[in-house]
Amino acid sequence: DRRKQLLGIMKVMDEAEGLILVTGEFNLRLPATVTLLFESLPQSVYFGKPCAVVCYSPGVSSGRRAGIQARAFLGEMSCLTIGTILALPQVHLTIDSEGNCEKEEVKN
């Protein structure tokens, strides 16, 4: 049931001290599912929370365009975004199927 899922997400976000938005890039943009999720929740669950952005893509652009759009979007949604975006190019070569990071420069 979609309502139960949203209530679960709302509870987790409300209890969190900060948020990390991890997103891919879809047609050179922030995916609509990300914006829809935030717009479906009351602003009180994310208002004023610090938020980091991680973006990725299978190509060399690392989803950076979506990351930049995510920072602007989160700012408009009253989140406090940090100045740095963690961008992961060629994510399939950076993170293995178990979720382990393969590149030292990303680990640090």
Side-chain angles (χ1 to χ4, degrees):
D1 172 53
R2 191 174 308 226
R3 181 170 162 73
K4 284 183 182 179
Q5 289 176 334
L6 274 177
L7 288 173
I9 293 169
M10 188 171 78
K11 182 178 185 298
V12 169
M13 287 178 71
D14 192 39
E15 293 173 355
E17 292 181 23
L19 305 171
I20 300 173
L21 175 61
V22 179
T23 184
E25 191 173 81
F26 183 73
N27 289 337
L28 310 179
R29 291 186 167 79
L30 182 65
T33 52
V34 173
T35 58
L36 180 61
L37 173 64
F38 274 80
E39 292 168 354
S40 298
L41 299 171
Q43 189 181 27
S44 62
V45 301
Y46 50 80
F47 182 85
K49 290 194 178 185
C51 191
V53 176
V54 178
C55 55
Y56 63 90
S57 76
V60 294
S61 76
S62 64
R64 196 170 302 275
R65 290 173 289 238
I68 292 168
Q69 292 168 15
R71 277 191 62 210
F73 173 75
L74 291 167
E76 288 295 319
M77 300 303 281
S78 302
C79 291
L80 305 172
T81 59
I82 63 171
T84 305
I85 297 172
L86 175 58
L88 303 173
Q90 298 178 321
V91 70
H92 59 289
L93 302 175
T94 305
I95 299 179
D96 68 17
S97 61
E98 299 294 319
N100 300 308
C101 184
E102 298 290 322
K103 293 188 176 182
E104 286 300 318
E105 62 272 18
V106 175
K107 288 181 187 180
N108 298 327

